[in-house]
């Protein structure tokens, strides 16, 4: 798109979907109690997050109860539950969300599609995977109006099979498709190309595209911004970027990049930036870790410097050595 065209396109809404309570909770050493999950969910709602992925109900009775309580303790965000591509998982999600108003609940169904996962984890052929996707998505759509289908390890799946898998999901009624970089190997350039391909596949059918990126190369936020530039409708983020291994794309980093560069991304978001620091502190406290002082956006040092020349500049005008004012976060 040319600069002139970009300037005339009205900003479109970007859906901020937080998965701190599901993928974030997969961080080693983290155990959120149900009370922690409810407190975090309420803080996410206050901050203006659109969607909360609350858990994995097939994980057991405790997980079902946590998802149920998160939905009951919030009033506005859509509450999503994660399911493998089997009917029992959808049944567990229904136990958790059956009492939640229909417009506030949904499920994310996933199946691993990469050659590594098909061969070594699932022991399934491509045809068997496609059949599982179609039947699980159709089953989920009998109960839930919103069903996202994601190809686990999508970034290491052959592009032709990726398209087949998403077409099978959309034909079965998926209302959104999720593209996870499960092991965090994408770069901004490859993220942009894959998301652009999926946008071309999904948008003509009225299906939304969701990006879910891991931080193994320290690129999760950059990749998420590339996905947004390529037309992604929904981004999956965690507070503080917590998650297994190197974590997920960070909510506060993505939100601040979009806030600082509205003309570049042309997307509107509902998140209140002044809530970000409190949100990061709450999640760190519940997760039992200390925020690194140099953590982007919300670390203790992000408005501080020990360089004399920079201190002199800051005293003369705060904007000389700050990207944004502290009161914004
Ligand atoms: Mn993940």
């Amino acid at each position: 798109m040319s600069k002139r065209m970009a300037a005339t396109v009205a900003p479109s809404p970007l859906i901020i979907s937080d998965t701190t309570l599901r993928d974030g909770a997969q961080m080693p050493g983290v155990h959120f109690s149900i009370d922690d999950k409810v407190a975090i969910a309420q803080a996410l709602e206050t901050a203006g997050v659109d969607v909360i992925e609350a858990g994995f109900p097939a994980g057991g009775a405790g997980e079902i109860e946590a998802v149920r309580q998160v939905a009951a303790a919030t009033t506005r965000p859509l509450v999503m539950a994660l399911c493998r591509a089997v009917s029992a998982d959808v049944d567990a999600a229904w136990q958790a969300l059956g009492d939640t108003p229909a417009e506030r609940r949904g499920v994310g169904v996933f199946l691993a599609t990469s050659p590594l996962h098909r061969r070594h984890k699932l022991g399934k052929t491509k045809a068997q995977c496609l059949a599982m996707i179609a039947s699980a998505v159709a089953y989920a759509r009998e109960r839930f109006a919103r069903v996202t289908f994601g190809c686990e390890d999508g970034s290491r799946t052959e592009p032709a099979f990726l398209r087949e898998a998403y077409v099978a999901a959309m034909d079965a009624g998926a209302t959104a498709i999720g593209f996870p970089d499960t092991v965090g190997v994408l770069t901004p350039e490859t993220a942009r190309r894959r998301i652009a391909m999926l946008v071309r596949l999904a948008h003509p059918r009225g299906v939304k595209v969701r990006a879910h990126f891991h931080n193994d190369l320290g690129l999760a936020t950059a990749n998420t911004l590339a996905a947004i530039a390529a037309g992604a409708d929904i981004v999956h983020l965690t507070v503080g970027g917590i998650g297994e291994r190197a974590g997920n794309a960070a909510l506060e980093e993505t939100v601040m990049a979009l806030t600082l560069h509205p003309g570049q991304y042309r997307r509107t978001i509902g998140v209140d930036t002044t809530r970000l620091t409190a949100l990061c502190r709450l999640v760190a406290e519940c997760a039992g870790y200390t925020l690194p002082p140099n953590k982007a956006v919300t670390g203790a040092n992000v408005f501080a410097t020990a360089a004399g020349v920079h201190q002199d500049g800051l005293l003369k005008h705060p904007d000389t050595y700050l990207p944004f004012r502290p009161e914004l976060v």
Side-chain angles (χ1 to χ4, degrees):
M1 186 183 297
S2 72
K3 267 184 186 164
R4 184 179 300 235
M5 273 177 71
T8 60
V9 174
S12 60
L14 177 73
I15 298 169
I16 303 289
S17 178
D18 181 275
T19 183
T20 304
L21 300 180
R22 201 280 299 166
D23 214 334
Q26 293 174 204
M27 175 166 150
V30 168
H31 173 74
F32 293 132
S33 68
I34 292 183
D35 287 348
D36 289 338
K37 290 184 180 182
V38 166
I40 292 168
Q42 289 174 328
L44 289 167
E45 175 168 31
T46 304
V49 162
D50 302 292
V51 183
I52 296 174
E53 187 173 62
F56 178 60
E63 195 72 0
I64 290 172
E65 185 56 24
V67 172
R68 179 183 304 161
Q69 288 201 28
V70 161
T74 51
T75 58
R76 192 191 45 80
L78 176 65
V79 177
M80 299 283 287
L82 185 68
C83 304
R84 291 166 297 189
V86 292
S87 56
D89 282 26
V90 177
D91 293 341
W94 184 252
Q95 280 188 57
L97 291 171
D99 296 332
T100 303
E103 69 281 6
R104 285 198 58 223
R105 67 186 176 210
V107 287
V109 175
F110 75 94
L111 183 73
T113 50
S114 67
L116 269 169
H117 281 241
R118 292 196 311 264
R119 196 168 308 135
H120 299 291
K121 189 181 89 174
L122 299 173
K124 303 274 184 206
T125 64
K126 286 180 178 176
Q128 287 171 318
C129 288
L130 294 175
M132 285 179 75
I133 293 166
S135 83
V137 170
Y139 188 79
R141 274 306 305 273
E142 289 172 18
R143 285 157 185 75
F144 293 94
R146 284 196 177 85
V147 175
T148 298
F149 172 75
C151 287
E152 188 186 19
D153 208 17
S155 53
R156 295 192 298 180
T157 299
E158 311 92 316
F161 185 57
L162 203 60
R163 280 193 293 271
E164 280 186 75
Y166 286 126
V167 166
M170 291 189 289
D171 285 348
T175 54
I177 56 173
F179 177 63
D181 181 18
T182 301
V183 293
V185 293
L186 292 179
T187 61
E189 292 75 18
T190 49
R192 179 193 272 267
R193 279 203 294 274
R194 293 296 185 89
I195 292 292
M197 175 187 96
L198 298 181
V199 163
R200 285 194 298 272
L201 193 66
H203 282 187
R205 297 165 175 255
V207 171
K208 290 184 163 63
V209 175
R210 183 180 75 191
H212 175 107
F213 293 155
H214 278 271
N215 201 37
D216 297 75
L217 296 175
L219 293 172
T221 299
N223 293 346
T224 299
L225 292 170
I228 293 166
D233 306 280
I234 309 166
V235 287
H236 241 190
L237 308 166
T238 65
V239 175
I242 69 168
E244 60 192 318
R245 302 188 319 280
N248 290 62
L251 174 82
E252 67 281 3
E253 294 172 6
T254 306
V255 164
M256 283 312 296
L258 293 169
T259 302
L260 247 59
H261 302 291
Q264 183 178 349
Y265 292 100
R266 316 282 307 161
R267 306 298 283 270
T268 56
I269 50 171
V271 176
D272 175 359
T273 60
T274 67
R275 300 283 178 174
L276 293 174
T277 301
L279 197 51
C280 285
R281 287 180 182 161
L282 172 68
V283 168
E285 187 189 314
C286 292
Y289 70 92
T290 310
L291 270 183
N294 65 335
K295 173 70 193 69
V297 181
T298 59
N301 285 355
V302 295
F303 301 107
T305 173
V309 171
H310 293 194
Q311 288 169 346
D312 178 60
L314 285 167
L315 288 170
K316 288 172 177 155
H317 195 294
D319 292 342
T320 51
Y321 286 102
L322 292 182
F324 50 86
R325 298 288 181 95
E327 51 270 28
L328 200 55
V329 294

